[in-house]
Amino acid sequence: MLILSPRKDVCLTLACTQVREDNQSGDGIESVINKVEVYLAEGKLAEAAACLEESVRGTQAAEIVAGWVRQARNRAISEQAVLLLQSYANSLSLT
């Protein structure tokens, strides 16, 4: 569910195994993935990207996850632009 492209599924799985083992907050990778999945289910792409990025910062997984994070953020920006344009178009049709 975290992957935007099937080809990156293996990479993300490998990345997840590289997440910090010394995480003092008690959030293991399963917890992180659950949080990201909840954000995605709610349509919160930017939050999902931030959560995943923060969880792998400083690890080898950060480089692998970076592509997905960039794509998720770009999609969130695109979706916001579409909503803005739809609102603008609706306002024009009412005048």
Side-chain angles (χ1 to χ4, degrees):
M1 185 170 188
L2 293 174
I3 305 305
L4 296 180
S5 111
R7 182 173 169 248
K8 293 184 180 180
D9 189 44
V10 173
C11 292
L12 185 60
T13 301
L14 292 173
C16 291
T17 63
Q18 300 293 323
V19 175
R20 293 180 209 166
E21 296 296 325
D22 62 344
N23 188 338
Q24 300 300 319
S25 67
D27 291 334
I29 190 59
E30 295 84 8
S31 176
V32 171
I33 291 174
N34 286 337
K35 288 177 189 176
V36 172
E37 287 178 340
V38 168
Y39 285 135
L40 291 175
E42 294 173 351
K44 298 178 178 179
L45 293 174
E47 290 87 343
C51 179
L52 187 58
E53 183 177 49
E54 177 63 31
S55 298
V56 299
R57 183 171 284 137
T59 68
Q60 292 175 339
E63 185 178 332
I64 296 169
V65 170
W68 185 89
V69 168
R70 185 178 57 256
Q71 288 178 352
R73 286 188 173 136
N74 287 343
R75 182 168 174 170
I77 291 167
S78 298
E79 288 177 359
Q80 289 175 356
V82 167
L83 288 174
L84 178 66
L85 291 171
Q86 287 174 334
S87 295
Y88 180 70
N90 286 337
S91 71
L92 289 178
S93 68
L94 297 175
T95 57

